[in-house]
Amino acid sequence: MKKLITTLTNIWKIDDLRTRILNTLLFLLIYRVGCHIVLPGVNPAALQHEAKEGLLGLLDMFAGGSFSRSAIFALGVMPYISASIVVQLLGIAVPYFQKLQKEGESGRKKMTQITRYLTLAITLVQSIAYVRTQIDGGAKMIADPMFTILSAFVLTAGTLFVMWLGEKITDKGIGNGISLIIMVGIIAQLPSGLTAEWFSRMSTGGGGPIPLLLEFVALFLVVIFTILIVQGVRKIPVQYAKKIVGNKQYGGVRQYIPLKVNASGVMPIIFAQAIMFVPMSIGQFFPDLQSPFLTSLSNYTSVAYNVVFAILIIAFTFFYTAIMVNPQQMSEDMKKNGGFIPGIKPGQATNYYIDGVVSKITFPGSIFLAIVAIFPAIASLFGVNNQFAHFYGGTSLLILVGVVLDTLQQIESHLLMRHYDGLMKTGRIRGRASAVNTGTTQSVI
């Protein structure tokens, strides 16, 4: 406890770190205030505040509840994330974007600008769809089409402002701004989930405090399990050849390529959830095609849903890892810098070796990711309230763990750079951004 107090005091002593933390808190406060400002022309009392399910529930969680509130930040940063994913995929398939990726800082600025323009286009389309489908006619106090035009303009401006806040947090604050905004939106749902679970357990027939205590213990163990997945790496040793220039010797040192067990992050779960939303849509738009199997796929606690969901996550983990990790580029960069893996010939043999290692660690990583993804359904089967069960796994828990580790890793870097003790006595916090550049592309989330 004494070391924790000393560390917090050291954090406050560093002027730059203190300013960055205060800036981050200020920007996040502005975002949370905007999440409660309802769109102009909408009657808040007439809105239906029912819980969103499936993909809409995921969007509402990412937006901090503003999606169901019809707030000016209802779309949150999801259009920006969608645009970023599209630009990442274009960087694999389109030669122009591949060239931009190799141009360094100038290429990165161009890709950032393209991502912003694409975010604007996606937000315009999604804002019109949101106004038409998610706002009840009784809640509209302005007649169409003026209401649709005004709301689409405000929603688009809101998303662009949130994107600007995220960039400002990254630049002037601590941690990744977009990730922190998503994390704050998820945490904002935690008090209501805890309250609902408390009243559920304390009501007649709810089980009392013992089941509630067991739920907290189980949640603690799940968080530890998730941290192990996020932090897990496989280190490949790399030896660099010695170079003698004049009277000095360069190289000859051994370094490591850290390959993450879960290199794909939360993207496989997001893709799988989007596909699992299709059966529900088919049942709504085509009632004649409804069948018991499609009905079971619309229920996230059913066996069929979770089996198909887990299979999709495993498949998408391999797919997205293949996109994120490029063994050929890694082997080429290693060869250019005079590095080699001991016992492996440079060139194609190194490429095959790295690809084999990635495949071996991706399989258990995908299994663990699928287990974490279905934990909320398992918790619901044990009587946990749906609002609280979402924190037992899935996208929300992975984002929370990943973002917290990234932020702590940056704080620790500031402390160590100024010769203070880190946040931990032994070891170092490894965030997702702490890996060296090995030809991989980091996810936005």
Side-chain angles (χ1 to χ4, degrees):
M1 188 66 183
K2 182 179 179 181
K3 185 179 184 301
L4 176 62
I5 296 175
T6 304
T7 302
L8 294 176
T9 305
N10 292 336
I11 290 174
W12 198 252
K13 285 180 181 177
I14 303 174
D15 292 337
D16 179 51
L17 184 57
R18 181 176 67 247
T19 302
R20 285 181 173 273
I21 292 176
L22 292 176
N23 287 340
T24 302
L25 295 176
L26 175 62
F27 290 138
L28 293 177
L29 177 62
I30 294 172
Y31 168 70
R32 287 307 302 163
V33 170
C35 289
H36 290 82
I37 301 176
V38 181
L39 286 169
V42 173
N43 182 10
L47 290 173
Q48 295 182 2
H49 296 285
E50 57 184 11
K52 303 293 183 181
E53 298 292 339
L55 187 59
L56 295 181
L58 181 67
L59 294 175
D60 191 38
M61 178 176 289
F62 282 175
S66 58
F67 188 90
S68 58
R69 245 183 248 119
S70 294
I72 58 175
F73 294 161
L75 298 181
V77 294
M78 291 307 293
Y80 177 78
I81 293 174
S82 302
S84 300
I85 293 172
V86 170
V87 172
Q88 284 183 13
L89 296 177
L90 289 176
I92 299 170
V94 180
Y96 173 74
F97 287 92
Q98 292 176 351
K99 181 181 177 182
L100 288 179
Q101 287 181 339
K102 298 178 180 179
E103 288 182 358
E105 185 65 21
S106 61
R108 188 188 64 80
K109 288 182 178 180
K110 290 180 182 178
M111 293 189 70
T112 301
Q113 197 69 15
I114 293 172
T115 303
R116 291 171 179 169
Y117 288 131
L118 186 57
T119 300
L120 176 61
I122 293 175
T123 308
L124 282 172
V125 175
Q126 289 186 355
S127 60
I128 296 174
Y130 175 83
V131 174
R132 293 294 184 88
T133 60
Q134 301 301 317
I135 301 180
D136 301 324
K140 299 177 182 178
M141 296 187 294
I142 302 176
D144 278 324
M146 182 55 66
F147 177 79
T148 301
I149 296 174
L150 176 62
S151 298
F153 176 79
V154 173
L155 286 171
T156 302
T159 294
L160 295 181
F161 181 74
V162 173
M163 180 183 69
W164 178 82
L165 279 179
E167 293 178 352
K168 283 300 177 184
I169 291 174
T170 304
D171 185 32
K172 304 292 185 180
I174 193 81
N176 183 286
I178 300 297
S179 299
L180 282 171
I181 286 175
I182 295 175
M183 185 192 74
V184 168
I186 295 172
I187 292 178
Q189 310 298 310
L190 184 58
S192 60
L194 282 173
T195 304
E197 185 62 21
W198 171 269
F199 285 111
S200 174
R201 288 300 183 186
M202 293 305 168
S203 62
T204 305
I210 301 301
L212 188 63
L213 181 61
L214 293 177
E215 288 175 8
F216 289 143
V217 173
L219 180 60
F220 177 74
L221 295 177
V222 170
V223 171
I224 293 177
F225 179 71
T226 306
I227 292 174
L228 291 175
I229 297 175
V230 174
Q231 294 280 76
V233 294
R234 164 72 158 84
K235 293 183 178 179
I236 297 179
V238 178
Q239 186 75 32
Y240 286 91
K242 296 180 181 179
K243 294 180 181 179
I244 298 177
V245 180
N247 295 326
K248 293 185 178 181
Q249 176 180 307
Y250 297 91
V253 296
R254 172 170 290 193
Q255 296 182 357
Y256 295 92
I257 300 177
L259 297 176
K260 298 187 73 66
V261 174
N262 180 29
S264 56
V266 299
M267 298 312 300
I269 298 181
I270 294 177
F271 286 156
Q273 282 180 327
I275 290 181
M276 294 306 296
F277 188 65
V278 173
M280 186 183 301
S281 302
I282 293 176
Q284 291 177 349
F285 291 104
F286 304 100
D288 296 336
L289 298 179
Q290 192 67 276
S291 65
F293 181 69
L294 285 178
T295 303
S296 64
L297 289 181
S298 301
N299 179 14
Y300 84 99
T301 60
S302 66
V303 176
Y305 178 96
N306 286 282
V307 170
V308 175
F309 189 38
I311 293 173
L312 287 175
I313 289 173
I314 293 173
F316 277 122
T317 300
F318 277 94
F319 170 75
Y320 208 77
T321 301
I323 293 176
M324 301 285 288
V325 182
N326 189 347
Q328 183 175 357
Q329 182 179 347
M330 293 165 64
S331 62
E332 289 177 358
D333 292 342
M334 199 185 306
K335 188 176 181 180
K336 290 178 182 177
N337 294 321
F340 62 93
I341 299 174
I344 308 297
K345 293 182 179 180
Q348 197 65 25
T350 300
N351 182 10
Y352 289 145
Y353 177 79
I354 297 176
D355 186 63
V357 172
V358 171
S359 300
K360 290 177 182 177
I361 65 175
T362 300
F363 180 71
S366 65
I367 298 294
F368 294 150
L369 196 62
I371 293 173
V372 170
I374 64 176
F375 267 149
I378 297 174
S380 298
L381 293 176
F382 282 92
V384 180
N385 186 277
N386 288 339
Q387 287 181 274
F388 188 54
H390 285 297
F391 292 93
Y392 275 83
T395 313
S396 56
L397 183 60
L398 283 168
I399 290 176
L400 288 175
V401 170
V403 174
V404 168
L405 290 175
D406 283 351
T407 307
L408 291 179
Q409 189 261 341
Q410 290 197 25
I411 293 176
E412 184 168 80
S413 298
H414 279 274
L415 291 172
L416 296 176
M417 187 166 53
R418 288 161 178 82
H419 307 291
Y420 287 107
D421 289 335
L423 295 170
M424 300 175 62
K425 287 186 178 180
T426 59
R428 288 287 174 260
I429 299 173
R430 292 193 302 271
R432 290 170 299 179
S434 61
V436 297
N437 183 13
T438 57
T440 62
T441 304
Q442 294 293 335
S443 177
V444 176
I445 301 181

